[in-house]
Amino acid sequence: MRWLIFACLNVIRNRRRSLLTVMIAAIAMAAILVGSGFALFTYHSLAQKAARDDGNLIITNPHFFVKIAEHPLQYGLDHFDGLRSKLLQDNDVRAVLPRIHFSGLVSNGDKTSTFIGLGVEPDEFRVKGPFLDLLAGKVLNGKQGKDGLPEVVMAKGLARSMNVKPGDGITLLSTTTDGALNAIDFVVRGVYSTGVPALDNRQLYVNLDTAQSLLATKKISTLSVYLFDIGKTAEKLTRYQKLLPRLLVTPWWKHAFYYHSVRSLYNRIFGLLGIILVLLVFFSISNTMSMTVTERTREIGTMSAMGASRSEIIRNFVFESAFIGGVGSILGALIAALMNWGLLQLDFQMPPPPGSSQSYPLLIEFSVPLAVAVGLTLTLVCILAALNAAHRGCRMSVTDALSHV
Amino acid sequence: MLRFDHLCKSYRTGPTEVHALRGVSGSIPAGASVALCGPSGSGKTTLLNICGLLDPSYTGELYLNDRKVPTDARARTRMRRDRIGFIFQCYNLIPVMTAFENVEYPLLMLGLSKAERYKRVAEMIDGVGLAKHACLRPDQLSGGQQQRVAIARALVKQPKLVIADEPTANLDTATAHQVIDLMRDLGREVGSTFLIATHDPRMTGRCDRVCTLHDGLLAEDQDALENESTVCGPKEAVCAG
Ligand SMILES: Nc1ncnc2c1ncn2[C@@H]1O[C@H](COP(=O)(O)OP(=O)(O)O)[C@@H](O)[C@H]1O
Ligand SMILES: [Mg+2]
């Protein structure tokens, strides 16, 4: 304790220089926390988005993702109603949504194009919230449209190339499960944007039962389980794998390619940034400490004349440096927390990330364990710098140190 | 107590070599105080540094308590900590410590109990007449007061040997007198052996013995050298080597 007090007093002795060094450590700490806080926020929102798109867990036929089907829904699920009601008994489960993935041709009579279709229940739009940016018309409600025709909502690029708007008619063609060709007339109910240009040119949504009649089947492709808490995904995964040995249960992260690529990109960017900042702190504290050591050469000489061991002398400088690093880290954490709060108040919008056309709010997450870890790292770096500087300072002979001016 | 034989030491700065000590011999009985006089540059500091185990690079023999001093750096540090006190010309107090803490520091290194430390430090501070200033830091004390703290710091561990390099050079006459008297009185109480470099006549008058250094040789040695002038050559050769 007494040596900590002496260390503080020594730090205060050269106020300007110490303050400068503390500020450098604080700014580095704040920059690392803000950068990684932004990355964390992005990871979490992408994870939420991925889990919202396809469900926390996807239940499929074991061959669904690996084998190429010879005809539609060859590897689909049959008789899913029993399974669905069983899963819904769990209080953690928010919804269980069946889905059909299919493809075919879409025609307006003059022009034909390929499409990627999704057959969904109307609950899809309620459970997933506003996941589509509706540009015109409405989303599906499970009922038939005018003239008793089934309804479709189309992505904006596809709607433009088909030259349709809500209320217009369109024909979808697809192969049935037994290989025949089938066509059904639809009414366009809405036009939307996904935010992903590649999808906007191809995608459409129809009601699950119309998709089934187009493909002439009672099967579905996947059963998506939505949980109230994304944190429980791993726990449910193991439960379901035991419960459903004949089916494949896939968690959201297995298919969240975008999430993973953003994550590895950001990890690299912010990791590099972090390393640069830590190096910066190392060099600036090294500089401060070697100046301090040089200034106090005579003091070092006096102490070792009186019989202080080298490690006792070095320890004093280590305490000083750790003090600077610790104060800087705490200050930096406060700055980051303040920025976190400020951004919440201000509501900045970030430009769309690559491959997307939607902007999103700039927020940063303040993670206490991360702040502690970064603070400890910075303090450790300060200690290393002090060890280095003090070691060099102690190499001088006692007599030279004593006659140092 | 302290005995040295044919101490030689030379400094090399660039091409020139300075023979700071050229074969100095002598002995100091326990409890005695010896003033080392001589003009500036005569080698006083050099001799004191060797006798205080601060400087390991010399030729010749040095005995402390009839035992040859160790060459191992750790053992020398331990010996300085346990047996030798230092008083410097520029006081060299630790700036962040109060007068009390400065005096306590050597005892802390010896690992004494808190109660024992407090008793000894209080006595010592009282002895140098600074009881009222115990809580002040060096920059709040005058030069004379700082040197008195330094004396207390050197003597508090009751060292066998006290090395003082021009302890009064930075002080005015009145203060110097006080400091000299303090050193002598407290030194006698503790029973330490004193080796004091000085060219202060006030100081030399109060010491048991006065030796004079001249160009790296003690006056006695110089007489001996003049008598047996043949020895001079080899002696200098030893120093150079
Ligand atoms: N570190 C050093 N490097 C080179 N020469 C030195 C050094 N220290 C002392 N000397 C030389 O050694 C001689 C003796 O010096 P010193 O012992 O300091 O004398 P004093 O203390 O009597 O004034 C002087 O000529 C001085 O120039
Ligand atoms: Mg000198």
Side-chain angles (χ1 to χ4, degrees):
Chain A
M1 192 57 212
R2 97 169 40 225
W3 293 107
L4 285 179
I5 294 170
F6 291 148
C8 300
L9 290 173
N10 269 321
V11 168
I12 296 168
R13 244 163 94 192
N14 201 321
R15 225 161 290 183
R16 264 172 62 101
R17 191 173 61 209
S18 301
L19 195 69
L20 200 71
T21 320
V22 165
M23 282 320 290
I24 289 174
I27 289 167
M29 172 83 177
I32 291 174
L33 285 187
V34 167
S36 54
F38 170 71
L40 280 181
F41 166 75
T42 309
Y43 300 163
H44 283 179
S45 28
L46 286 178
Q48 295 285 2
K49 181 168 157 34
R52 195 180 60 189
D53 282 352
D54 292 330
N56 298 67
L57 295 157
I58 310 167
I59 299 172
T60 57
N61 181 301
H63 303 304
F64 181 76
F65 291 112
V66 279
K67 288 202 181 163
I68 295 168
E70 283 163 24
H71 53 81
L73 292 183
Q74 182 182 358
Y75 302 119
L77 291 176
D78 229 343
H79 311 297
F80 62 90
D81 277 330
L83 175 59
R84 184 185 196 179
S85 47
K86 199 157 102 190
L87 292 175
L88 276 172
Q89 280 166 9
D90 187 342
N91 279 338
D92 290 329
V93 174
R94 191 156 67 102
V96 179
L97 297 176
R99 235 170 256 164
I100 292 178
H101 298 264
F102 64 108
S103 59
L105 298 172
V106 53
S107 170
N108 61 1
D110 301 326
K111 190 175 169 191
T112 302
S113 174
T114 55
F115 72 83
I116 301 168
L118 278 163
V120 296
E121 287 192 341
D123 256 358
E124 181 100 8
F125 298 96
R126 190 180 54 74
V127 169
K128 282 162 69 171
F131 69 104
L132 296 177
D133 186 12
L134 203 64
L135 302 175
K138 291 184 176 140
V139 294
L140 298 174
N141 61 358
K143 301 201 181 88
Q144 309 249 297
K146 62 172 185 184
D147 312 330
L149 287 178
E151 293 180 312
V152 59
V153 290
M154 297 173 84
K156 65 173 180 186
L158 190 60
R160 193 179 325 113
S161 84
M162 284 297 111
N163 197 19
V164 291
K165 55 184 189 310
D168 293 349
I170 201 116
T171 308
L172 299 188
L173 292 95
S174 184
T175 325
T176 66
T177 44
D178 30 71
L181 203 61
N182 194 7
I184 294 183
D185 287 335
F186 286 83
V187 183
V188 177
R189 185 171 163 87
V191 176
Y192 65 87
S193 164
T194 57
V196 184
L199 282 181
D200 278 349
N201 288 333
R202 284 292 173 83
Q203 206 184 40
L204 54 79
Y205 280 88
V206 300
N207 284 314
L208 189 79
D209 48 0
T210 30
Q212 282 177 332
S213 47
L214 182 64
L215 303 179
T217 182
K218 279 283 154 211
K219 286 184 182 176
I220 56 163
S221 305
T222 63
L223 203 54
S224 294
V225 181
Y226 286 82
L227 302 176
F228 283 105
D229 178 7
I230 191 172
K232 286 198 173 151
T233 310
E235 174 199 328
K236 295 290 173 203
L237 174 66
T238 41
R239 268 254 331 263
Y240 291 174
Q241 275 167 342
K242 239 179 258 153
L243 198 72
L244 311 167
R246 313 248 309 265
L247 295 177
L248 179 69
V249 185
T250 318
W252 62 267
W253 57 80
K254 279 273 174 64
H255 296 286
F257 304 112
Y258 187 65
Y259 167 83
H260 288 297
S261 62
V262 168
R263 197 179 163 119
S264 73
L265 177 72
Y266 278 14
N267 276 349
R268 259 174 249 178
I269 293 175
F270 291 110
L272 190 68
L273 198 75
I275 291 171
I276 291 172
L277 286 170
V278 167
L279 281 179
L280 189 83
V281 170
F282 178 79
F283 287 122
S284 100
I285 194 115
S286 285
N287 180 40
T288 299
M289 285 323 285
S290 46
M291 271 154 82
T292 306
V293 167
T294 312
E295 268 174 17
R296 304 225 307 259
T297 304
R298 194 196 271 270
E299 192 179 313
I300 294 174
T302 309
M303 286 184 159
S304 46
M306 288 196 294
S309 67
R310 189 177 266 240
S311 57
E312 281 172 303
I313 292 166
I314 291 176
R315 182 190 58 188
N316 295 344
F317 291 103
V318 165
F319 277 161
E320 280 172 52
S321 187
F323 180 76
I324 290 177
V327 171
S329 299
I330 291 170
L331 220 67
L334 286 180
I335 295 173
L338 211 71
M339 282 188 75
N340 171 43
W341 178 83
L343 284 174
L344 270 175
Q345 311 302 312
L346 285 175
D347 185 32
F348 272 123
Q349 291 288 320
M350 285 294 279
S356 172
S357 55
Q358 281 172 343
S359 59
Y360 59 101
L362 171 63
L363 287 176
I364 55 170
E365 217 174 278
F366 187 83
S367 149
V368 175
L370 187 78
V372 170
V374 176
L376 286 179
T377 309
L378 281 181
T379 309
L380 190 74
V381 160
C382 290
I383 288 174
L384 287 179
L387 278 177
N388 185 29
H391 241 288
R392 267 185 289 139
C394 283
R395 269 210 300 263
M396 195 185 265
S397 74
V398 185
T399 48
D400 287 346
L402 278 172
S403 56
H404 186 92
V405 277
Chain B
M1 163 68 206
L2 183 69
R3 189 157 60 83
F4 38 91
D5 260 338
H6 282 102
L7 289 183
C8 288
K9 162 97 190 174
S10 54
Y11 295 102
R12 185 181 285 281
T13 37
T16 56
E17 193 168 12
V18 180
H19 300 286
L21 292 180
R22 300 190 291 162
V24 177
S25 308
S27 69
I28 304 172
S33 55
V34 174
L36 198 58
C37 296
S40 172
S42 56
K44 303 185 296 293
T45 300
T46 308
L47 181 58
L48 255 50
N49 283 345
I50 293 172
C51 293
L53 306 194
L54 295 175
D55 188 350
S57 59
Y58 57 90
T59 60
E61 309 287 350
L62 178 65
Y63 300 88
L64 202 63
N65 282 336
D66 290 323
R67 254 189 284 161
K68 221 176 143 174
V69 299
T71 48
D72 171 56
R74 278 168 187 274
R76 292 167 68 89
T77 306
R78 212 174 312 126
M79 207 155 186
R80 285 202 302 272
R81 189 180 61 199
D82 297 342
R83 306 206 186 150
I84 306 177
F86 289 90
I87 301 169
F88 304 94
Q89 179 177 343
C90 302
Y91 331 127
N92 286 11
L93 300 179
I94 311 291
V96 290
M97 297 184 184
T98 62
F100 191 94
E101 287 162 343
N102 262 291
V103 178
E104 188 187 11
Y105 182 50
L107 301 183
L108 216 59
M109 284 195 283
L110 289 177
L112 264 56
S113 74
K114 190 168 178 171
E116 177 72 15
R117 286 199 315 259
Y118 272 57
K119 191 174 132 270
R120 282 218 223 167
V121 174
E123 257 171 37
M124 214 62 213
I125 293 251
D126 205 30
V128 296
L130 287 176
K132 284 203 190 99
H133 300 80
C135 294
L136 298 184
R137 285 182 215 291
D139 54 4
Q140 299 164 305
L141 297 171
S142 71
Q145 290 170 330
Q146 287 190 52
Q147 195 61 305
R148 274 143 69 190
V149 175
I151 291 171
R153 177 176 70 175
L155 292 174
V156 72
K157 62 182 174 189
Q158 303 173 345
K160 292 273 175 287
L161 177 65
V162 176
I163 301 276
D165 194 352
E166 313 209 17
T168 55
N170 285 5
L171 303 174
D172 61 72
T173 311
T175 324
H177 272 291
Q178 274 186 329
V179 164
I180 293 166
D181 290 340
L182 265 177
M183 275 175 70
R184 196 189 48 188
D185 298 345
L186 291 174
R188 230 168 248 163
E189 260 173 50
V190 173
S192 305
T193 308
F194 276 76
L195 184 53
I196 308 165
T198 182
H199 28 222
D200 190 338
R202 300 161 302 193
M203 191 95 220
T204 51
R206 285 171 162 79
C207 287
D208 303 333
R209 236 177 83 193
V210 180
C211 299
T212 310
L213 259 178
H214 219 282
D215 285 341
L217 285 172
L218 280 172
E220 303 96 90
D221 296 320
Q222 207 156 26
D223 295 343
L225 267 180
E226 273 160 17
N227 295 341
E228 324 164 33
S229 52
T230 44
V231 188
C232 187
K235 257 190 185 168
E236 281 197 326
V238 171
C239 299

